[in-house]
Amino acid sequence: MTENNTKNQNQNQGPDQDQGQDQGQRPAPKISPWNEPVVAEFRANHGRVGGMFEGGDLLLLTTTGARSGRESTNPLGFVRVDGRVYVVGSAGGSPRHPDWYRNLLAHPLVAVEMPDDDTHEAIAVPLEGEQRDRVFAEIVRREPGFGDYQDQVERRLPVVELQRSETDGATQVRNLADKLFQIHTWLRGQLTRVRREAELYLAERQGAETAPPLGLSLQIRQHCVAFCESLHFHHTSEDTVFPRLAEGFPHLREPIDRLIEEHRVVDRLRGELETLLTDLRTADPARFLADLDRLTEELQAHLAFEEESLIPTLSEIPFPPPTGA
């Protein structure tokens, strides 16, 4: 499968080199001409393809351009190790990382399509240090070609774990209230995970005699960035939807005005957290955790008020809305 994966990556080095997006409706993810027939066959045959890719483990990874913001879909070979899904940024032995890897560093939330119609959202987390080396050695044992590509280049080939979203498929969404709970559950889960991992990392860093430990820094960063981007998108969407909701349900005008005002406060705290994350290895532990706790407390209160104010009304609105609604 290694050669197939490599040819595929090498032919699609430009997911972020978009020449501009259509105005208005969000464009469909970009697929290179080389990959179009592979993607079409994958989707038509429940993740199974023939030709040079036959017999290989293939998935479709959709990332968001680091600069363009345009989504791109790439077929990639994957390897399961201990139940976890990994992809390797080999790029056919190219001296530079594939663009899909740079994209997921900027925007960790990705869409994953796997065989048997398993489509889900994931957070892309590059491995570091000993963990990366251990997993890469196992990948090379199964797919020796990756070792050959590593020998050809000075860069360390990235090994990326695609961590399935914790709430993916956890809730049956029947109405807008269910959808709101689903989003809030994901945000709360990300906050809890970031706090837990940050505590562990900072404790290890404090106890290190020399350089700060690796291992958790990118893990924390990717989950924090995913949380911050999701929170920003969620509130931006609400700022657009809420005024229309208040027009249809006048009794919601006062709580909606308060929620929109709170969005500005939460967004400011989100920006402060992102600033801290520029280099977690040198961040002041007390300040980092204090700011995270302050953000968590205000966000939890905001989510609780939003649910208390809107759930009774939103539970009467089906999701997705009827056609023409």
Side-chain angles (χ1 to χ4, degrees):
M1 180 60 205
T2 304
E3 288 293 335
N4 297 340
N5 177 49
T6 301
K7 286 177 178 291
N8 176 54
Q9 294 183 38
N10 210 27
Q11 291 290 332
N12 195 26
Q13 282 290 304
D16 194 31
Q17 307 303 315
D18 187 38
Q19 299 300 315
Q21 299 186 23
D22 297 335
Q23 298 297 321
Q25 186 175 4
R26 185 181 182 88
K30 187 168 70 172
I31 305 171
S32 75
W34 168 268
N35 285 325
E36 283 180 354
V38 180
V39 172
E41 185 178 8
F42 181 100
R43 289 172 172 165
N45 297 320
H46 311 287
R48 292 163 181 80
V49 298
M52 61 162 60
F53 298 99
E54 187 171 4
D57 291 324
L58 201 68
L59 60 75
L60 304 184
L61 180 68
T62 298
T63 61
T64 301
R67 295 187 299 276
S68 69
R70 173 74 182 271
E71 290 182 332
S72 299
T73 298
N74 291 273
L76 301 173
F78 72 92
V79 177
R80 288 187 189 272
V81 179
D82 298 330
R84 299 173 183 266
V85 175
Y86 299 97
V87 292
V88 178
S90 61
S94 169
R96 63 194 292 266
H97 293 317
D99 283 341
W100 60 259
Y101 176 71
R102 292 192 291 274
N103 289 348
L104 63 81
L105 286 178
H107 303 289
L109 278 174
V110 299
V112 181
E113 299 172 58
M114 300 191 69
D116 298 319
D117 303 317
D118 179 6
T119 299
H120 58 271
E121 187 178 75
I123 297 178
V125 179
L127 305 188
E128 297 179 274
E130 184 277 332
Q131 184 186 24
R132 180 267 176 201
D133 294 341
R134 175 177 54 80
V135 173
F136 185 69
E138 176 61 22
I139 291 174
V140 170
R141 187 185 70 80
R142 303 184 191 184
E143 300 284 349
F146 282 117
D148 296 335
Y149 300 134
Q150 181 63 87
D151 292 339
Q152 295 174 20
V153 297
E154 295 183 3
R155 68 183 178 92
R156 285 163 58 85
L157 300 186
V159 178
V160 180
E161 180 184 353
L162 302 177
Q163 299 180 357
R164 183 187 292 263
S165 176
E166 292 134 335
T167 60
D168 191 81
T171 305
Q172 182 181 2
V173 177
R174 299 159 298 183
N175 51 56
L176 283 178
D178 290 342
K179 187 63 179 176
L180 188 68
F181 268 128
Q182 184 186 63
I183 295 170
H184 286 188
T185 298
W186 191 89
L187 290 171
R188 287 177 171 124
Q190 287 301 114
L191 273 176
T192 299
R193 179 167 187 161
V194 166
R195 185 60 160 82
R196 181 176 64 247
E197 292 177 349
E199 283 183 333
L200 178 59
Y201 175 81
L202 292 171
E204 290 181 355
R205 195 190 77 178
Q206 187 174 6
E209 296 181 357
T210 55
L214 294 170
L216 283 178
S217 58
L218 265 178
Q219 172 102 334
I220 295 171
R221 178 196 179 278
Q222 294 298 90
H223 280 273
C224 279
V225 173
F227 164 76
C228 289
E229 287 194 333
S230 296
L231 179 64
H232 180 70
F233 178 79
H234 176 54
H235 283 170
T236 300
S237 300
E238 288 183 340
D239 286 345
T240 301
V241 173
F242 278 0
R244 297 202 299 267
L245 188 64
E247 291 177 2
F249 302 92
H251 67 284
L252 297 178
R253 169 63 64 183
E254 184 175 346
I256 282 177
D257 287 344
R258 173 179 160 181
L259 287 168
I260 292 176
E261 183 63 31
E262 288 183 2
H263 287 174
R264 299 186 180 92
V265 176
V266 175
D267 198 58
R268 174 178 57 78
L269 293 173
R270 175 191 60 81
E272 292 177 8
L273 179 59
E274 287 181 318
T275 300
L276 287 177
L277 289 170
T278 55
D279 193 352
L280 182 61
R281 298 187 190 191
T282 59
D284 176 75
R287 181 186 172 193
F288 179 89
L289 293 176
D291 281 358
L292 184 57
D293 287 344
R294 185 172 74 253
L295 171 62
T296 299
E297 183 178 353
E298 293 201 31
L299 179 60
Q300 293 284 19
H302 171 80
L303 297 180
F305 177 73
E306 187 169 278
E307 291 166 356
E308 178 183 356
S309 303
L310 303 182
I311 288 302
T313 299
L314 296 186
S315 63
E316 302 299 323
I317 304 175
F319 186 89
T323 303

